[in-house]
Amino acid sequence: MITFILSLAILLAGYIFYSRYLERTMEVDPNRPTPAVSMGDGVDFVPMPWWRVLLIQFLNIAGLGPIFGAIAGALWGPVAFVWIVLGTVFAGAVHDYFSGMLSVRHNGLSITEVIGIYLGNITKQLMRIFTIVLLVLVGVVFISGPAGILANLTPATLDFRFWVWVIFIYYILATLLPIDKIIGKIYPLFGFALLFMAVSLIIALIVKGYAIPELTSENWRNFHYDKEKFPIFPMLFITIACGAISGFHATQSPLMARCMKNEKEGRKVFYGAMVIEGIVALIWAAISMSFFGGVRELGEVMVAQKGNAAWVVNEISNSLLGKFGAILAILGVVAAPITSGDTAFRSARLTIGDLLRFNQKPIRNRLIITVPLFAVGFLLTKINFDVVWRYFAWSNQTLATVVLWAITVYLFQKRKAYWITLLPALFMTAVVTTYIMLAPEGLALSKPVSYATGFAVTTLVFSTFLFYTRNKTVKS
């Protein structure tokens, strides 16, 4: 319990103190017009109250990440608490804050365009394709997953295909309509409910006397049931993504960068939403380690359920909160992915719109992009994504790494404290490189070769950055 409380305190302290340092580094100006004010179009650039923007941002970036990712991450034991806390405060929230604020400073541009400004045109073109594919994958999987769950909860006449069409139609409307018509109205309610769900569960867990494992010298080790295939580094840092750092967040932040009324709101909206997500991930990791009797027992359950995290969520929610918990569980495993899927498609539309320089205010222009986008998405719902989806976690963290490097270059150019993103950028470079070398879905190389390659690539990237900084310093 001490470890959990201390972890929670560090997350809150990160928001109270470290985010203010980042705000000073960014030199926010409350008098500078934001894109929502200077470019308002009633569709994507729509001023909204900061609390509404915060809750929308939280639900956009959350989805199932801080729930399913935290449950899977709990298999490594209490060391997961360390990554959630330090990852959120010094990597994820920093990544989200600067990616959001750079979008604000660049007229609400999508993250791929921001990357291009600081890492060059070739990188921009590669990341445009990479990001659009990633967003479509997110949207498609977040059609199939919830549709399957709803089909199991409803009469046989309402089958999988029926729910695919229902969700698909909703996605089209949410992608096309002005952001304040659907997303702006229902997301704050779902965002509050998702947070309320997590807080209610941890309170119930404590009241009912469950023991949350402590992080001790003895427990500072790998508890995973398959240690050889899943070493802490790099597997834990890929598995717990949205609860610590996630490149998907950088695709969502521009949506809210177009809705903020004041630059001072960025700290609450971007850094604050990531801290809230970190708290949710922390809660679910703690519950998962405790509810079944311990980390080993959680591993046995996950093996028996073939990694079915949705079953774990349902079992925990029903047991700790009763029938009310069942409703919250449905909200968590259905509403959360749906509300990330629709904004994934919306982000894809905006990214393509930036690419083609299409004004998105006329409905005709939105349809020109949306129709083929959803045609591709519908075709992809008919494909089994079990294999393809394994690459999503790595792709997600790779995007986060590229974004961190873009921010680092920005901070260097502005002669600011670029170490605040350089350090997490170096760490994540090592993580994603080592993972793709080691993982079964990657090259499946040996540990020594994978670790050596990860170190070598990270050193090469760092050397390239040092060469860049030295070159720029000499020229200036």
Side-chain angles (χ1 to χ4, degrees):
M1 189 66 180
I2 294 175
T3 302
F4 176 78
I5 294 175
L6 182 61
S7 298
L8 186 61
I10 294 173
L11 284 172
L12 295 175
Y15 175 73
I16 295 171
F17 299 107
Y18 195 52
S19 67
R20 291 187 185 279
Y21 172 69
L22 301 182
E23 189 178 54
R24 291 195 298 272
T25 302
M26 193 68 201
E27 295 183 350
V28 299
D29 182 359
N31 298 315
R32 182 186 287 116
T34 62
V37 175
S38 62
M39 302 173 63
D41 62 2
V43 179
D44 298 308
F45 294 83
V46 180
M48 289 192 284
W50 72 264
W51 61 268
R52 190 180 294 274
V53 178
L54 167 63
L55 288 172
I56 295 172
Q57 172 73 359
F58 167 57
L59 202 59
N60 281 356
I61 67 175
L64 291 175
I67 302 175
F68 283 15
I71 292 172
L75 293 170
W76 278 273
V79 70
F81 293 146
V82 178
W83 172 232
I84 291 172
V85 172
L86 297 184
T88 296
V89 173
F90 297 109
V94 175
H95 165 279
D96 290 10
Y97 177 73
F98 280 110
S99 62
M101 290 305 297
L102 284 177
S103 181
V104 171
R105 291 285 175 86
H106 291 289
N107 297 323
L109 284 179
S110 301
I111 193 60
T112 51
E113 308 307 301
V114 174
I115 288 173
I117 292 172
Y118 298 104
L119 296 185
N121 190 56
I122 294 177
T123 306
K124 178 173 70 173
Q125 301 304 336
L126 291 173
M127 295 313 297
R128 275 173 169 172
I129 298 170
F130 186 88
T131 303
I132 291 169
V133 170
L134 187 66
L135 288 169
V136 173
L137 281 175
V138 172
V140 169
V141 172
F142 284 169
I143 291 174
S144 302
I149 295 169
L150 288 168
N152 291 330
L153 294 172
T154 52
T157 52
L158 305 180
D159 59 6
F160 173 80
R161 184 174 299 179
F162 170 81
W163 286 112
V164 164
W165 275 107
V166 171
I167 297 171
F168 206 79
I169 292 170
Y170 164 73
Y171 278 8
I172 293 174
L173 292 174
T175 301
L176 281 174
L177 292 176
I179 196 166
D180 59 336
K181 299 305 179 186
I182 295 181
I183 293 174
K185 286 184 169 59
I186 66 172
Y187 271 39
L189 296 175
F190 283 139
F192 176 79
L194 188 61
L195 181 60
F196 179 77
M197 173 190 183
V199 173
S200 299
L201 284 169
I202 195 64
I203 291 174
L205 186 86
I206 295 171
V207 169
K208 293 188 177 183
Y210 288 86
I212 301 175
E214 301 289 355
L215 181 62
T216 63
S217 57
E218 182 182 348
N219 285 343
W220 187 279
R221 57 191 177 89
N222 190 349
F223 279 84
H224 203 284
Y225 59 83
D226 195 348
K227 298 178 184 179
E228 286 303 310
K229 289 185 179 179
F230 296 94
I232 291 175
F233 185 89
M235 299 302 184
L236 172 64
F237 307 99
I238 293 290
T239 302
I240 300 181
C242 290
I245 181 172
S246 167
F248 176 67
H249 296 186
T251 69
Q252 302 302 291
S253 294
L255 295 179
M256 295 300 98
R258 303 179 186 207
C259 298
M260 284 169 31
K261 295 190 289 187
N262 192 306
E263 282 193 358
K264 292 285 286 184
E265 296 172 357
R267 175 174 161 265
K268 301 172 186 174
V269 171
F270 302 123
Y271 199 101
M274 183 62 230
V275 168
I276 295 173
E277 184 171 14
I279 291 173
V280 172
L282 183 71
I283 288 173
W284 273 103
I287 292 172
S288 302
M289 293 181 206
S290 312
F291 181 78
F292 297 101
V295 180
R296 294 185 185 281
E297 290 77 5
L298 171 64
E300 292 171 0
V301 168
M302 291 294 280
V303 170
Q305 295 298 324
K306 298 180 180 179
N308 188 353
W311 181 90
V312 173
V313 171
N314 188 64
E315 184 72 13
I316 290 173
S317 300
N318 277 284
S319 299
L320 293 180
L321 299 176
K323 292 182 178 179
F324 180 60
I327 297 174
L328 289 177
I330 293 172
L331 174 68
V333 299
V334 176
I338 288 176
T339 50
S340 286
D342 60 4
T343 51
F345 276 116
R346 190 179 187 94
S347 296
R349 171 176 68 79
L350 293 173
T351 302
I352 295 170
D354 288 342
L355 169 64
L356 300 177
R357 304 198 178 196
F358 254 32
N359 180 1
Q360 295 292 283
K361 185 172 182 178
I363 186 68
R364 175 180 173 275
N365 287 1
R366 278 175 272 158
L367 283 169
I368 289 173
I369 297 175
T370 301
V371 171
L373 183 66
F374 275 95
V376 172
F378 182 74
L379 291 174
L380 291 176
T381 61
K382 300 180 179 297
I383 299 175
N384 186 338
F385 264 83
D386 288 345
V387 176
V388 179
W389 192 244
R390 292 176 191 170
Y391 294 95
F392 167 73
W394 174 80
S395 302
N396 187 41
Q397 299 301 64
T398 300
L399 176 59
T401 304
V402 174
V403 172
L404 283 171
W405 279 114
I407 299 168
T408 302
V409 171
Y410 159 78
L411 292 173
F412 171 78
Q413 290 179 355
K414 296 295 182 180
R415 298 185 178 181
K416 299 183 184 296
Y418 59 83
W419 61 266
I420 56 183
T421 51
L422 173 63
L423 296 180
L426 286 169
F427 179 75
M428 291 307 299
T429 300
V431 167
V432 298
T433 305
T434 306
Y435 181 87
I436 202 63
M437 295 291 131
L438 182 64
E441 59 269 21
L443 299 180
L445 300 177
S446 66
K447 287 183 184 178
V449 173
S450 298
Y451 291 146
T453 304
F455 177 77
V457 171
T458 304
T459 302
L460 177 62
V461 173
F462 183 47
S463 300
T464 302
F465 176 73
L466 288 179
F467 176 79
Y468 166 81
T469 56
R470 188 175 302 171
N471 207 32
K472 288 290 184 181
T473 302
V474 171
K475 287 183 178 180
S476 62

